[in-house]
mmCIF file of all heavy atoms in Angstrom:
data_model
loop_
_atom_site.group_PDB
_atom_site.id
_atom_site.type_symbol
_atom_site.label_atom_id
_atom_site.label_comp_id
_atom_site.label_asym_id
_atom_site.label_seq_id
_atom_site.Cartn_x
_atom_site.Cartn_y
_atom_site.Cartn_z
ATOM 1 N N ARG A 361 103.035 79.788 94.758
ATOM 2 C CA ARG A 361 102.876 78.339 94.675
ATOM 3 C C ARG A 361 102.006 77.721 95.764
ATOM 4 O O ARG A 361 101.631 76.557 95.651
ATOM 5 C CB ARG A 361 104.249 77.683 94.684
ATOM 6 C CG ARG A 361 104.998 77.967 93.417
ATOM 7 C CD ARG A 361 106.356 77.239 93.331
ATOM 8 N NE ARG A 361 106.223 75.812 93.394
ATOM 9 C CZ ARG A 361 106.057 74.959 92.362
ATOM 10 N NH1 ARG A 361 105.967 75.452 91.187
ATOM 11 N NH2 ARG A 361 106.043 73.632 92.538
ATOM 12 N N HIS A 362 101.750 78.482 96.852
ATOM 13 C CA HIS A 362 101.079 77.821 98.030
ATOM 14 C C HIS A 362 99.727 78.426 98.339
ATOM 15 O O HIS A 362 99.578 79.664 98.030
ATOM 16 C CB HIS A 362 102.032 77.912 99.284
ATOM 17 C CG HIS A 362 103.317 77.240 99.043
ATOM 18 N ND1 HIS A 362 104.499 77.695 99.639
ATOM 19 C CD2 HIS A 362 103.716 76.243 98.289
ATOM 20 C CE1 HIS A 362 105.535 76.964 99.304
ATOM 21 N NE2 HIS A 362 105.063 76.041 98.438
ATOM 22 N N ALA A 363 98.886 77.726 98.905
ATOM 23 C CA ALA A 363 97.528 78.163 99.315
ATOM 24 C C ALA A 363 97.353 77.830 100.770
ATOM 25 O O ALA A 363 97.961 76.868 101.291
ATOM 26 C CB ALA A 363 96.452 77.595 98.415
ATOM 27 N N GLY A 364 96.516 78.610 101.364
ATOM 28 C CA GLY A 364 96.072 78.287 102.761
ATOM 29 C C GLY A 364 96.842 79.005 103.823
ATOM 30 O O GLY A 364 97.819 79.661 103.553
ATOM 31 N N ASN A 365 96.368 78.907 105.034
ATOM 32 C CA ASN A 365 96.918 79.573 106.107
ATOM 33 C C ASN A 365 97.715 78.592 106.939
ATOM 34 O O ASN A 365 97.192 77.575 107.430
ATOM 35 C CB ASN A 365 95.767 80.104 107.049
ATOM 36 C CG ASN A 365 96.269 80.881 108.251
ATOM 37 O OD1 ASN A 365 97.354 80.701 108.680
ATOM 38 N ND2 ASN A 365 95.408 81.663 108.881
ATOM 39 N N GLN A 366 99.046 78.784 107.002
ATOM 40 C CA GLN A 366 99.919 77.814 107.617
ATOM 41 C C GLN A 366 99.652 77.530 109.108
ATOM 42 O O GLN A 366 99.922 76.500 109.594
ATOM 43 C CB GLN A 366 101.439 78.190 107.451
ATOM 44 C CG GLN A 366 101.918 77.972 106.066
ATOM 45 C CD GLN A 366 103.451 78.161 106.014
ATOM 46 O OE1 GLN A 366 104.028 78.734 106.843
ATOM 47 N NE2 GLN A 366 104.021 77.638 104.972
ATOM 48 N N THR A 367 99.022 78.504 109.801
ATOM 49 C CA THR A 367 98.716 78.298 111.182
ATOM 50 C C THR A 367 97.599 77.250 111.326
ATOM 51 O O THR A 367 97.382 76.726 112.372
ATOM 52 C CB THR A 367 98.259 79.679 111.856
ATOM 53 O OG1 THR A 367 97.175 80.179 111.193
ATOM 54 C CG2 THR A 367 99.431 80.682 111.787
ATOM 55 N N LEU A 368 96.820 76.973 110.264
ATOM 56 C CA LEU A 368 95.719 76.102 110.268
ATOM 57 C C LEU A 368 96.079 74.709 109.675
ATOM 58 O O LEU A 368 95.273 73.790 109.706
ATOM 59 C CB LEU A 368 94.488 76.646 109.646
ATOM 60 C CG LEU A 368 94.013 78.028 110.206
ATOM 61 C CD1 LEU A 368 92.866 78.506 109.349
ATOM 62 C CD2 LEU A 368 93.630 77.827 111.691
ATOM 63 N N MET A 369 97.311 74.589 109.134
ATOM 64 C CA MET A 369 97.678 73.418 108.336
ATOM 65 C C MET A 369 98.298 72.341 109.307
ATOM 66 O O MET A 369 98.891 72.663 110.295
ATOM 67 C CB MET A 369 98.780 73.774 107.303
ATOM 68 C CG MET A 369 98.194 74.549 106.205
ATOM 69 S SD MET A 369 99.684 74.907 105.070
ATOM 70 C CE MET A 369 98.854 76.097 104.085
ATOM 71 N N PRO A 370 98.215 71.068 108.917
ATOM 72 C CA PRO A 370 99.046 70.065 109.574
ATOM 73 C C PRO A 370 100.490 70.395 109.507
ATOM 74 O O PRO A 370 100.946 70.962 108.525
ATOM 75 C CB PRO A 370 98.733 68.783 108.832
ATOM 76 C CG PRO A 370 97.535 69.067 108.011
ATOM 77 C CD PRO A 370 97.443 70.534 107.800
ATOM 78 N N LYS A 371 101.206 70.048 110.524
ATOM 79 C CA LYS A 371 102.702 70.407 110.642
ATOM 80 C C LYS A 371 103.458 69.912 109.455
ATOM 81 O O LYS A 371 104.304 70.657 108.830
ATOM 82 C CB LYS A 371 103.259 69.820 111.901
ATOM 83 C CG LYS A 371 104.637 70.171 112.130
ATOM 84 C CD LYS A 371 105.202 69.631 113.470
ATOM 85 C CE LYS A 371 106.669 69.935 113.617
ATOM 86 N NZ LYS A 371 107.257 69.293 114.772
ATOM 87 N N SER A 372 103.207 68.735 108.926
ATOM 88 C CA SER A 372 103.973 68.156 107.874
ATOM 89 C C SER A 372 103.756 68.905 106.540
ATOM 90 O O SER A 372 104.613 69.093 105.739
ATOM 91 C CB SER A 372 103.694 66.578 107.680
ATOM 92 O OG SER A 372 102.346 66.469 107.378
ATOM 93 N N PHE A 373 102.524 69.359 106.344
ATOM 94 C CA PHE A 373 102.165 70.115 105.166
ATOM 95 C C PHE A 373 102.877 71.442 105.152
ATOM 96 O O PHE A 373 103.446 71.907 104.149
ATOM 97 C CB PHE A 373 100.608 70.303 105.032
ATOM 98 C CG PHE A 373 100.193 70.772 103.741
ATOM 99 C CD1 PHE A 373 100.096 69.859 102.661
ATOM 100 C CD2 PHE A 373 99.857 72.101 103.514
ATOM 101 C CE1 PHE A 373 99.661 70.300 101.424
ATOM 102 C CE2 PHE A 373 99.463 72.506 102.268
ATOM 103 C CZ PHE A 373 99.297 71.575 101.180
#
Side-chain angles (χ1 to χ4, degrees):
R361 292 185 57 90
H362 302 150
N365 182 340
Q366 285 190 341
T367 60
L368 304 174
M369 291 178 190
K371 182 180 177 184
S372 61
F373 195 78

